[in-house]
Amino acid sequence: GENVEQHPSTLSVQEGDSAVIKCTYSDSASNYFPWYKQELGKRPQLIIDIRSNVGEKKDQRIAVTLNKTAKHFSLHITETQPEDSAVYFCAAGGTSYGKLTFGQGTILTVHP
Amino acid sequence: GAVVSQHPSRVICKSGTSVKIECRSLDFQATTMFWYRQFPKQSLMLMATSNEGSKATYEQGVEKDKFLINHASLTLSTLTVTSAHPEDSSFYICSAIGRNYGYTFGSGTRLTVV
């Protein structure tokens, strides 16, 4: 089955800096890669996603890059703000909205 | 947008009793429901996948007789934790998909077994 590795497990940055979280996956059949933000005790919130036919996608301060050959994808947050502090999860899934396999999570702390 | 209502949000039960968690899709038909468990400071681990009208498919290591999943209609799926024990205490969350609707998460249920 699919295996998703996520790094780093914790990330601390100063407000205004950039943050990068990386994930690798094992199943070459995976073609959907979402990123979620989860606050304590809440449901995961989709912040951006990318499909395998695209190498990069951007939405304001958030961007995701995908390297299918190397089987890794990354989340980039620019101009970080304290409200960006949360746990971020990457995930990988197959065709037709199959099951998602989640990474281990990254605790992002943005210091004012 | 798509909404999945999950109840209860919190439940405390005694060891040995059963607890039922419900997920309802409010404005779309959920053809597939995924059930996840999340222990503190850990990731979401898929427990099972259920398609409407079919038996659930359980992930390796998840006891199907302990975690009963019912998906009898396109708007309701339930997870029953039978004979709960303290080690079953966790955050349980559902995620539904339907035609033209991607992964929509419920709000989660915090189960504490005492």
Side-chain angles (χ1 to χ4, degrees):
Chain A
E2 176 66 276
N3 182 49
V4 179
E5 297 287 332
Q6 182 173 346
H7 298 280
S9 56
T10 60
L11 180 58
S12 183
V13 299
Q14 288 296 128
E15 183 177 3
D17 288 349
S18 295
V20 180
I21 303 171
K22 299 181 179 182
C23 287
T24 61
Y25 62 99
S26 62
D27 189 349
S28 56
S30 290
N31 62 2
Y32 177 63
F33 308 94
W35 284 90
Y36 291 92
K37 176 184 180 182
Q38 187 181 31
E39 297 178 352
L40 191 63
K42 301 283 183 66
R43 78 187 83 196
Q45 289 180 292
L46 178 69
I47 56 172
I48 197 166
D49 58 7
I50 192 168
R51 295 196 178 273
S52 59
N53 58 344
V54 176
E56 184 174 356
K57 184 176 178 180
K58 189 174 181 180
D59 182 4
Q60 298 183 333
R61 297 187 296 112
I62 296 172
V64 56
T65 58
L66 170 65
N67 184 325
K68 277 218 75 177
T69 303
K71 292 191 202 148
H72 67 70
F73 56 113
S74 301
L75 176 70
H76 304 253
I77 305 174
T78 58
E79 301 171 29
T80 54
Q81 302 165 1
E83 48 267 38
D84 294 330
S85 297
V87 181
Y88 290 80
F89 291 98
C90 64
T95 57
S96 302
Y97 289 116
K99 64 182 182 181
L100 290 176
T101 301
F102 285 80
Q104 295 85 351
T106 297
I107 301 171
L108 174 63
T109 304
V110 181
H111 299 280
Chain B
V3 175
V4 172
S5 175
Q6 183 170 348
H7 293 281
S9 57
R10 294 175 183 272
V11 59
I12 300 173
C13 71
K14 290 186 177 180
S15 187
T17 61
S18 296
V19 172
K20 181 184 282 189
I21 300 169
E22 291 188 351
C23 279
R24 293 181 183 272
S25 55
L26 299 186
D27 46 8
F28 70 103
Q29 294 183 326
T31 52
T32 301
M33 190 72 77
F34 302 99
W35 286 94
Y36 293 89
R37 178 168 52 183
Q38 186 177 31
F39 291 110
K41 299 186 179 181
Q42 293 189 24
S43 187
L44 287 82
M45 298 300 295
L46 182 66
M47 300 174 67
T49 302
S50 71
N51 295 304
E52 183 266 336
S54 303
K55 287 186 178 180
T57 302
Y58 291 81
E59 295 298 302
Q60 191 172 9
V62 178
E63 300 173 58
K64 63 178 181 180
D65 294 329
K66 180 172 182 62
F67 299 99
L68 303 179
I69 291 173
N70 185 289
H71 192 166
S73 80
L74 285 169
T75 57
L76 175 64
S77 178
T78 62
L79 167 66
T80 301
V81 183
T82 63
S83 187
H85 291 283
E87 56 266 31
D88 297 323
S89 298
S90 188
F91 188 62
Y92 292 86
I93 191 164
C94 61
S95 178
I97 58 174
R99 189 170 297 174
N100 299 322
Y101 288 94
Y103 304 95
T104 303
F105 284 89
S107 53
T109 297
R110 173 72 58 194
L111 170 64
T112 303
V113 184
V114 297

Coordinates of all heavy atoms in Angstrom, one line a residue, chain B residues 2-4 24-33 52 71 73-76 96-102 104:
Chain B
A2 N -20.3 21.5 0.5 CA -20.7 20.3 1.1 C -20.4 20.3 2.6 O -19.4 20.8 3.1 CB -19.8 19.2 0.4
V3 N -21.3 19.7 3.3 CA -21.2 19.6 4.8 C -21.5 18.2 5.3 O -22.4 17.6 4.8 CB -22.2 20.6 5.5 CG1 -22.2 20.4 7.0 CG2 -21.9 22.0 5.1
V4 N -20.6 17.7 6.2 CA -20.9 16.5 6.8 C -21.0 16.8 8.3 O -20.1 17.3 8.9 CB -19.7 15.5 6.6 CG1 -19.9 14.2 7.5 CG2 -19.6 15.1 5.1
R24 N -23.6 12.4 8.9 CA -24.6 12.6 7.9 C -24.1 13.7 6.9 O -23.6 14.7 7.2 CB -25.9 13.2 8.6 CG -26.6 12.2 9.5 CD -27.8 12.9 10.1 NE -28.5 11.9 11.0 CZ -29.4 11.0 10.7 NH1 -29.7 10.9 9.4 NH2 -29.9 10.2 11.6
S25 N -24.3 13.3 5.6 CA -24.0 14.3 4.6 C -25.3 15.1 4.4 O -26.4 14.6 4.1 CB -23.6 13.6 3.3 OG -24.6 12.7 2.9
L26 N -25.2 16.5 4.5 CA -26.4 17.3 4.6 C -26.9 17.8 3.2 O -28.1 18.0 3.1 CB -26.1 18.5 5.5 CG -25.8 18.2 6.9 CD1 -25.6 19.5 7.8 CD2 -26.8 17.2 7.6
D27 N -26.0 17.9 2.3 CA -26.4 18.5 1.0 C -25.9 17.8 -0.2 O -25.8 18.3 -1.3 CB -26.1 20.0 1.0 CG -24.6 20.2 1.4 OD1 -23.9 19.2 1.6 OD2 -24.3 21.4 1.5
F28 N -25.4 16.5 0.0 CA -25.0 15.7 -1.1 C -25.1 14.3 -0.7 O -25.3 13.9 0.5 CB -23.6 16.1 -1.5 CG -22.5 15.7 -0.5 CD1 -21.7 14.5 -0.7 CD2 -22.3 16.4 0.7 CE1 -20.7 14.1 0.2 CE2 -21.3 16.0 1.6 CZ -20.5 14.9 1.3
Q29 N -25.0 13.4 -1.7 CA -25.1 12.0 -1.4 C -23.7 11.4 -1.3 O -22.9 11.5 -2.2 CB -25.9 11.3 -2.5 CG -27.4 11.7 -2.6 CD -28.1 11.0 -3.7 OE1 -27.6 10.7 -4.7 NE2 -29.4 10.7 -3.4
A30 N -23.5 10.8 -0.1 CA -22.1 10.3 0.2 C -22.1 8.8 -0.3 O -22.5 7.9 0.3 CB -21.8 10.4 1.7
T31 N -21.4 8.7 -1.5 CA -21.3 7.3 -2.0 C -20.3 6.5 -1.3 O -20.3 5.3 -1.2 CB -21.0 7.4 -3.5 OG1 -19.8 8.2 -3.7 CG2 -22.2 7.9 -4.3
T32 N -19.3 7.2 -0.7 CA -18.2 6.5 0.0 C -17.9 7.3 1.3 O -17.9 8.5 1.3 CB -16.9 6.4 -0.8 OG1 -17.2 5.7 -2.0 CG2 -15.8 5.7 0.0
M33 N -17.7 6.6 2.4 CA -17.4 7.2 3.7 C -16.1 6.5 4.2 O -16.0 5.3 4.2 CB -18.5 7.0 4.7 CG -18.3 7.8 6.0 SD -18.6 9.5 5.7 CE -20.4 9.6 5.7
E52 N -22.0 2.9 0.1 CA -23.4 2.8 0.4 C -23.9 1.4 -0.1 O -23.7 1.0 -1.2 CB -24.2 3.9 -0.3 CG -25.6 3.9 0.0 CD -26.5 3.2 -1.0 OE1 -26.0 3.1 -2.2 OE2 -27.6 2.8 -0.7
H71 N -23.5 1.7 6.5 CA -23.6 2.8 5.5 C -24.9 2.4 4.7 O -24.8 2.2 3.5 CB -22.4 2.9 4.6 CG -22.3 4.1 3.8 ND1 -21.1 4.5 3.2 CD2 -23.2 5.0 3.5 CE1 -21.3 5.6 2.5 NE2 -22.6 6.0 2.7
S73 N -27.5 4.2 3.9 CA -28.1 5.1 3.0 C -27.1 6.1 2.5 O -25.9 6.1 3.0 CB -29.2 5.9 3.8 OG -28.6 7.0 4.6
L74 N -27.4 6.8 1.5 CA -26.5 7.8 0.9 C -26.2 9.0 1.7 O -25.4 9.8 1.3 CB -27.0 8.2 -0.5 CG -26.8 7.1 -1.6 CD1 -27.5 7.5 -2.9 CD2 -25.3 6.8 -1.9
T75 N -26.9 9.1 2.8 CA -26.7 10.3 3.7 C -26.3 10.0 5.1 O -26.0 10.9 5.9 CB -28.0 11.2 3.7 OG1 -29.0 10.4 4.2 CG2 -28.3 11.7 2.3
L76 N -26.2 8.7 5.4 CA -25.9 8.4 6.8 C -24.9 7.2 6.9 O -25.1 6.2 6.2 CB -27.1 8.1 7.6 CG -27.0 7.5 9.0 CD1 -26.3 8.6 9.9 CD2 -28.3 7.1 9.6
A96 N -16.4 12.0 3.8 CA -17.3 11.5 2.8 C -16.9 12.1 1.4 O -16.4 13.2 1.2 CB -18.7 12.0 3.1
I97 N -17.2 11.3 0.4 CA -17.1 11.7 -1.0 C -18.4 11.3 -1.7 O -19.1 10.4 -1.3 CB -15.9 11.1 -1.7 CG1 -15.9 9.6 -1.7 CG2 -14.6 11.6 -1.1 CD1 -14.8 9.0 -2.6
G98 N -18.7 12.1 -2.7 CA -19.9 11.9 -3.5 C -19.7 12.4 -4.9 O -18.7 12.9 -5.2
R99 N -20.7 12.1 -5.7 CA -20.6 12.6 -7.1 C -20.4 14.1 -7.1 O -21.2 14.9 -6.6 CB -21.8 12.2 -7.9 CG -21.7 12.4 -9.4 CD -22.9 11.8 -10.1 NE -22.9 10.4 -9.9 CZ -23.9 9.6 -10.3 NH1 -24.9 10.1 -10.9 NH2 -23.9 8.3 -10.1
N100 N -19.3 14.5 -7.7 CA -19.0 15.9 -7.8 C -18.6 16.6 -6.5 O -18.5 17.8 -6.4 CB -20.1 16.7 -8.4 CG -20.4 16.3 -9.8 OD1 -19.5 15.9 -10.6 ND2 -21.7 16.2 -10.2
Y101 N -18.4 15.8 -5.4 CA -18.0 16.3 -4.2 C -16.7 15.5 -3.7 O -16.8 14.3 -3.6 CB -19.1 16.2 -3.1 CG -20.2 17.1 -3.3 CD1 -21.3 16.7 -4.1 CD2 -20.2 18.4 -2.8 CE1 -22.4 17.6 -4.3 CE2 -21.2 19.3 -3.1 CZ -22.3 18.9 -3.8 OH -23.3 19.8 -4.0
G102 N -15.7 16.3 -3.4 CA -14.4 15.7 -2.9 C -14.5 15.4 -1.4 O -15.6 15.4 -0.8
T104 N -14.9 15.5 2.2 CA -15.5 16.4 3.1 C -15.5 15.7 4.5 O -16.1 14.7 4.7 CB -17.0 16.7 2.7 OG1 -17.0 17.2 1.4 CG2 -17.6 17.7 3.7

